Each structure stands twice: as structure tokens, then as C-alpha cells.
Amino acid sequence: MGYVRISPAADRDGHVIEHRDGTFYLQTAHTSYWFAVTEHGHLEHIHYGPRLAIQDPSALRWSRVARGGSTVAYAPEDVRYSLDTLPLEFSGIGQGDYRTSPCEIRTAHVGYDLDLGYRGHEVHAGSLAARTLPTAHGTPAEATTLVIDLADERAGIEVALHYTVFAAADVITRRVVVRNTGPAEVVVEKLLSFQLDLPEASLGGAPRLITFDGAWIAETHAHDRPIGPGFSGVSSSTGSSSNRHNPGFLLAAADADEDHGRVHGFNLVYSGNHLGSVERGATGLLRVAGGINPQGFSWPLAPGEEFETPEAVLAFADTGFNGLSERMHRFVVDHVLPARYRRTPRPVAYNSWEALSFDVSERRLLKQARRAADLGMELFVVDDGWFAGRKDDTAGLGDYAVDDAKFPRGLGSLVTKLSALGLQAGIWVEPEMVNEDSELYRTHPEWALRIPGKPARLGRQQHVLDLCNPDVCDYVVASVGALLDAHDFRYVKWDMNRHLADTHSPHVRAPGMTAHQYVANLHDVLRRIFEPRPHVLLETCSSGGNRFDLAMLAHSAMIWASDDTDPIERLEIQQGLSYLYPLSTISAHISNAPHQQTLRNTPLSTRFNVACFGVLGYEYDLELLSSEERKEVREQIAFYRTHRDLFQHGRFRRHTKPHPDRFVWQVDDGDRTILGNFQRRVVAAPAPDLLPVAGLEPETTYRVRSKPQRLMIDRFGDLINHVTPIRLDPRGVVLSTAAKFTSLTDAAEEYVGTGALLAQGIRLHHQFSGTEYHPGIRMLGDHGSTLYVVERLEEGP
Ligand code: GLA
């Protein structure tokens, strides 16, 4: 057999897809993904891991020199060939592979029998866009796509497996297109986007699964556990990617940590019901799979029709979780986000929600806006409550007329005044929903999703509009488009505040199509509204992080990560997201304390120190800020704007937690480095804290300084009497007035050393430990934190 180099141009750039002796070699800069066509036409998975030179892969192939016990031979003349013991690229059903199939298609004549054999392949330069869903994009210089055609002629089914190799990004995406080539209708009851059979020995024999799970105001907490026998995984059935389980997950070797070891990452470019699973059987193989959740899904295909899955994203790193995250981050920025948002600086926002709730008006907003502009904010977002009837969450959704009582001169007057203050204007919308108390619902009650003959259920007092209905889509496109064209809005927050139930539409051919068609049409609506308006920065939101996924990021610049703005909760939420999503996509605001969601009281410094590792904003009644707080906020914003590029587009690393209650984050870009050191809970008589600084040049000398921050004196209560010349009542007027105008310096620290020295871990100054205060002591207590800025002093030899 010859050696066929399929993409020689790509090979010069270090990436390649090659086909040699029936084996497909997919090569990225640091990884290899290989599979081969077996003697019976199945695709045998060979290797996904560190990059290997292309060679005869036999030594990596699964042995078949003996018959397996308790197996079914695929062919009578070849009793040692059983599909149950082979690693496979994409299994059919009913052929002797007893692991779960990614594909269940019911045909009228053979039921569920499906034997998918190789028929041919094609290679395309660049990515191939899907017809109905968003997919990652890559130019011919960045990406190469291999399409493998499989078929079962007896069943009348063709399956095309798409593999797009993003070589420099070290990512491979996969998706599947199925086609009915038979004479009768078939029903696709399950069709996942990928299957990957990995030897568990490649992950140290004791692999771990890491998922990102939660609830409203507690999204994307990382959970790490050993994979036991049988099934593990995540799924969503809420109609969106959900705050229950993010679609992204990781598999890691037993000994992997943030900086070492083998880690596989999986994600999905999809905003609907998803399933991600790992099946651990007795054969030493793990079957990883992911795609649309088959629960409640079925898709009939008439002769000649096709169905395409969402795209799955696969990455591997042998440099620990940080190595994997770096690859995923770069991939999202370069190949998922719309090109217009890629490296665009995100403005510092003021958002009206937490301070004003529904009680917005031109007068009240302008009071906040004057303060916001004075403090250095750049974008002013009018959140919920601006349209007619929207006094609370029982009314108004569906209509887009401005409330004349709140805005007697219309929104245009506000936008003009914001502009005069130097602020861009932004607006909140929730176009997928309708309240019963709205003109839209009174006119078109049939536009809401509902099971015929049964009252529809409410969530947050609202119904879900039936986006399977083209008239509804046109209405949303026209209404939001008109709002954006009537005013100079530079930003939109697109919200979605309930889950789907009563998931039935008369506008699809079968009930099992509704949830998926809704999502496909949503993406079309977003494309129609925002592609022609590239000046509008889109942020998406779904009660916070209920729809934090790659398909929403194919339209938007960032996503509101959580309605929870308590920084201690945000440590978990933002850290969880950081495994798979870059900081420029994670929207993070500072609000008042005690927090609306937890009642926790946290220092203003920590609220900033957490939010700055993301896209910064404030949701705060700025009129209530004391003079000291105003100074602090002004300095925070100036600091963020100076280092914005680093916080939004730098390389992010999580340092291995020295203690469950400490988090250490770092951003760097080769020139600058900033670290955040966070303490959730203080312990008495603490051991010295070490702060490791990663990625510096070993022989260059650096200076590390804490970012100046204020300690507000009302934090100390009666303790303040230890440092004041006269005794003060902690609840008295003298102290409360003083607290508005005076503060203490917190943690003034400075350290110098070479990169090699700093990598050992700086022995940080003492924390407060009940003995004394001075400006060099780190006054952390519960919820305390400090930022450290690293500057280069002298080049090494
Ligand atoms: C959701 C969002 C909030 C806010 C409210 C408005 O909860 O997550 O940020 O926009 O809706 O109703």
C-alpha cells in the first residue's frame, strides 16, 4: 500500500491528516489521534495522546490473537474478531458490541440493527460549517477536515464522521451527519456527536472524571472523582445546557494535577439538552461519548433526509489541567467566538439590576450614570424593568414598547445623556419569553410552548415562546432589531430565565423534535439579529450561568456567569468555568455586601480581586458608596483598565490549592504577571503562606508588590479602640462618620528575586494573628485577598 500524504501544505505548518495502509493519522502540534479501518471495515481507535511520529501503529493496536470469552464473533470465518473487545470510533448496534452505542436508528424493516462499515473518505481545507447549528471556524491555514463515510446499505443508513483538526490549537472537533438512503422513513432516536474508546491504562489505570455542576447561584463547581465500573457522566434535560451540569467535562490520570499529568477535555458546541458519559467496562477500555441527550429526542428522516449533530470539541494535554485549559481557551478565542469579538477589549460595565431591580427610570438611572462615569466605568446597561407593564416579573415580557412613565422622553433621551457622560449604552432583553399579562400573549396565546389540552406551566411567571414557529422567530428578529436600530445601543444582554417544560410545538413533524429545533432556531435568530449589527457587543445570560456553553459563545463575547456576585461563591464558579472557558468570556460584577444571594459580608477589595479575573462590572447603588469606597472603586477601575488586556486575554493558571480554603490564580502574558491570593476562612495561628509564581524567566530578577487596597475601619467594630487615642462606640456616630472618610492600609508588601527564586514560593508576610496591626501585616480574616503585581527589574545573563 502506498503512503498518501493528503494535505502537504498543512504539513509544512506542522499539522497533517495522513492516510497510510488503512490508518488515518490526525496530527496537531502536540497531539496525535489515530485510527484504522479493520479487515471487516470498522474503524478501530488506536491512539489519542501525545504527538507521535507517523509510523506503523501495530504495536498500539488491541491484540486479537485469542478468542474472548462470553463474546459474539462478528463473522463466522473470523472467530477472534469481536466488536465487544475492540476500541472503536463509532459503534453501530446489534453487532456484538455490548457497550452503549452512540447511535440508535429505528428502521421499519430491520428495527435497531446497524452495522456501519467504511466506504470512503474526503479531506477538505478548513472547517466545514454545519447547515443548522453553529460550529467552530478555521481557515484552510488553521484547520483541515476529514470526512469518513460509513454505511449500512441493508438498513439504508449512511453516517458521515467529521473530524476537524485545529493543529496549532491542539484541538480536534467531531460531529456526525446521518442520512436515510432507504425507501422508507427511519427514526433517529439517539445520535451522539462522538465516541472515544480509550485504554484506561493510558490514564494510569485509575482515571478520574471532573464535571462542572451546580444550581442557580451556585453554578459550575468542579467535582473530581474516580471513575467506577459502569456509567458516570453529566446530562441536561432543562432545554438548555443548564446550571445543573455544564456540557464540558474532563478525564484525568490518577496522578494529574494542575501542572502535571494526562488530561482529556471534552465540550460541546450546543445549547440544548446534552449527555456526556463515560462507561467503564471489564475490558480495560473506557467509552467516552457525548452529544444531544436522547431523553425525549427522536427525529424522523424521510428518504433522502439528513440529520446533523452538534460539534464536539476534544483536546488532550500531558501538562496537567492548566495545559488543557490553555488549549481550550485559545481554541474558544480563535475558533469559536465571532471574529469581531475575538480580542476586543470588553468595557467596564455598570448594570442596574442589583441596585435598582425593576425600579428603573431615566431619572434614577442618570443618577447612577453620573457616578459611574465619574468612577471610570465605560458602559451603562439598563437591565430589566424598562418596558411597558414591567413592574415586576408577572408582566410585560413579549412586548418591546418602552414604559412612558419611567422614560417620558423615550430611551433615546437616556442614550444621548449617557453618551454626553462618555458612557456607551446597553440594554437588557429576554426575547424567548412571554408573560400572560402582555399584549403579545393576549394577541398570540398559541405562540407559547404547550401540550394541547393542558394548561402550560409557569416558570418565573412566564411562558417560553415557541421558537419552532417561524412567525415567532421573525417577530423576535424584527422586534429586537427595531430596538437596536432605533437607538445607539452598543451592548445587549440577552437573557433567558426559565427552563423548558410542556415541550411541544405544532410546528415540528414529531414531538421528539421540539427541544432540538428550538435550539437550532434560537441560533438562527441570534445570527440574524447580531451578524448585521457588528457594533453591538452581545452578552448572553440565563438566570446567570444556566446557558454557559460554546454555542452561545459562537454569537456572544461573554456570558453572565452567575446571579451570585458574592466573591467567595464566585471563587468556585469562576474557577470551575476557567477549566474550559477563557476569562474574556466570563462576566463578573461587584455588588453590595452583605450579598443578595448569601448574606455574606465581604470586603470591597475581595469583591474586586475576584471579579477582575474576568470581564469587570459593577451592580451597586453607587449613591450609597462612602467617600473611601469611591476612592477604592476609582482605583480598582483604573487598575483594571491598565491591565485589562492581561485580565481578559492573558494566560490564566490555577495554582494547586495549598489548602482547601485558599485559591491562588495567576494571569500572565510573557511580559506582565498578576496573582490573586484568596482566603475563604481564616484559621487561628496560621502557618506561613507560600505564593508560587509560575512561568517567569529563571535568571531574570523581578519585583513583586501587593496592589494597594483599603481596609474599611467599620470592619473592626470595637477592636478599633486598640489603635485610637480615645474610646469610641463601635455603633456610634463618630466611628460611622469616620469610616466614610478614613481607612487603613492593607498588606503593603514587596518582594524581590529571580524567576527561579519566586517559583519556590514567596514566604508572604504574616497574616493578622491577634497581636498587632501595621500596614505590612496581611489583614485577611475570613474572605480576605490580595493581588500581587510582578514587574521585571533586570534581565538575566
Ligand atoms: C436574570 C439575570 C439577572 C437580571 C434578571 C432580570 O436573573 O440573570 O442578571 O438580568 O434576570 O430580571
Side-chain angles (χ1 to χ4, degrees), residues 758-782:
L758 298 172
Q760 305 306 305
I762 302 169
R763 276 55 164 170
L764 295 175
H765 286 192
H766 273 116
Q767 288 195 45
F768 177 75
S769 47
T771 52
E772 59 176 322
Y773 161 80
H774 66 74
I777 291 183
R778 296 185 303 133
M779 303 294 285
L780 294 181
D782 283 351

Side-chain angles (χ1 to χ4, degrees), residues 353 358 383-384 428 460 493 495 497 541 543-544 560 563:
W353 177 246
F358 297 96
D383 207 281
D384 202 350
W428 175 95
R460 208 198 185 202
K493 178 173 169 193
D495 208 343
N497 281 319
C541 169
S543 303
W560 179 228
D563 276 353

